Amino acid sequence: MSLNKVNSKTDILIIGCGCIGLSTGIVLLKTGKYNVQIWSRDLPPNTTSNKAAALWYPFLCNPPDLVGKWSAETMQYFKDHIIGDPKSGTLIKKVNEIFRREHKEDPEWRPYVQSFRRARKDELPEGYVDGFAVDDGFVMDTDMYMDYLVQTFKSLGGSIEQREVEDIREAFVHYDTVINCTGLGSRELFKDKLIYPSRGQIIVIKNSSERSIMDEEDHIAYVIPRISNTVLGGTNQEHDYNTEPTKQDTEEILKRVAMISPRFAKNRIEIQDVKVGLRPSRHEIRLENEFFEGGSKLVVHNYGHGGSGFTVSWGCALEALRVMEAGIPNLLFYKKQQQPKPQSKL
Ligand SMILES: Cc1cc2nc3c(=O)[nH]c(=O)nc-3n(C[C@H](O)[C@H](O)[C@H](O)COP(=O)(O)OP(=O)(O)OC[C@H]3O[C@@H](n4cnc5c(N)ncnc54)[C@H](O)[C@@H]3O)c2cc1C
Ligand SMILES: O=C(O)C(=O)CO
């Protein structure tokens, strides 16, 4: 049984069509070494990824040092490959995180992000005394960006099938190597009870804003401008599976946002949409190899990105490629191939 190879490229299956699965698929296809197919229960716009705000900013995601590294790699990847493309739905936008109390410590990801600085006094709304700033942060108009990822993946030769995987062995019938990008789905598919939902509600409004501003100190409040609208948030209700928006959360978000951006207190807010997504939260991102079927099958796990899937997506995709290529030579088939051929007796 040879490793699945067609046209001398190795066949790889990715399960999941969120920002993580699509970014990982694009990185694999760009090497020119793999045929990549995605199987996914839900397709954009019906994924958690589509419910995100989204901006580049490490948030509700661990481990801190790797999140810092992957966030910085993602920022670089955006600058090199994405920001210049108007179809990507992305914009460079300064981001300020603000605090009501002095915040002596820089964020743990600071060593990886050269453009980090402390906020200036004029960037702090009334009642706030400290803050961070990243002038070359960026935002994504999430639906536009997800469509852009799908188009990029397909244009590189990737194929997508809407298909739920109930048992990983279904995938092993056709593939030796599978990349698991199922987010919260890993709770069932791989029985990982460490991953759980953190419910986030956002409001999409017509008004615009010149910067992203967020307060995560005692509760969550943020304003994230995008190309065609602005997102106000948010909530973080752990282990809450309710995907329906609530009036109470909408009112609470509007109240908090008025504190960080007084202009939204004065001007009439024109609500376009209210969305809810379940962040795939975990004590840390799981990005590692797991061998099945006596070493003849390989699963590369890439899930558990919490509130930072977009922020770390390209760094994690590049890491998943590295991890996968370190794992494949240990597949039983490869090992057998490396064994010296028995010398003929003649
Ligand atoms: C309100 C809100 C705001 C956010 N804002 C930001 C932000 O500003 N910046 C940021 O970086 N992040 C943000 N996030 C976090 C970000 O949305 C997530 O980290 C990210 O979407 C996770 O991507 P994913 O591809 O792992 O998951 P998903 O988008 O959930 O994709 C998982 C995919 O796997 C599929 N799947 C699952 N199980 C199976 C199965 N058994 N068989 C087949 N397919 C399966 C699903 O159908 C889906 O296609 C926000 C999240 C929320 C909720
Ligand atoms: O709500 C979230 O998860 C965010 O990342 C917003 O910044």
Side-chain angles (χ1 to χ4, degrees), residues 55-58 70-72 74-75 140 307-314:
L55 88 165
W56 178 96
Y57 200 80
W70 292 334
S71 301
T74 300
M75 180 181 273
M140 290 137 264
S308 295
F310 291 85
T311 305
V312 297
S313 53
W314 295 105

Side-chain angles (χ1 to χ4, degrees), residues 184-199:
L184 201 51
S186 293
R187 190 174 172 89
E188 286 316 310
L189 187 57
F190 290 94
K191 306 289 176 262
D192 179 358
K193 300 308 178 200
L194 294 173
I195 189 156
Y196 61 91
S198 294
R199 181 180 176 278

Side-chain angles (χ1 to χ4, degrees), residues 239-282:
H239 304 287
D240 183 337
Y241 282 86
N242 172 26
T243 55
E244 289 304 313
T246 69
K247 195 166 173 312
Q248 181 191 346
D249 280 339
T250 294
E251 285 165 4
E252 182 60 24
I253 290 169
L254 291 172
K255 198 171 77 184
R256 292 180 199 162
V257 162
M259 289 315 202
I260 65 171
S261 197
R263 60 195 286 266
F264 286 118
K266 290 194 276 303
N267 303 353
R268 202 176 69 77
I269 287 184
E270 199 178 324
I271 293 182
Q272 287 181 331
D273 197 358
V274 184
K275 295 185 179 184
V276 171
L278 303 181
R279 299 178 191 84
S281 293
R282 195 170 187 274

Side-chain angles (χ1 to χ4, degrees), residues 293-308:
E293 318 261 305
S296 62
K297 301 293 178 184
L298 169 63
V299 171
V300 183
H301 294 292
N302 185 10
Y303 67 91
H305 302 83
S308 295

Side-chain angles (χ1 to χ4, degrees), residues 56 58 63-76 108-113 311-312 314-316 318-319 322:
W56 178 96
D65 53 342
L66 284 174
V67 166
K69 175 177 180 292
W70 292 334
S71 301
E73 288 175 356
T74 300
M75 180 181 273
Q76 194 55 51
E108 286 159 316
W109 46 266
R110 192 258 170 282
Y112 297 91
V113 179
T311 305
V312 297
W314 295 105
C316 286
L318 293 164
E319 180 71 9
R322 280 191 285 272

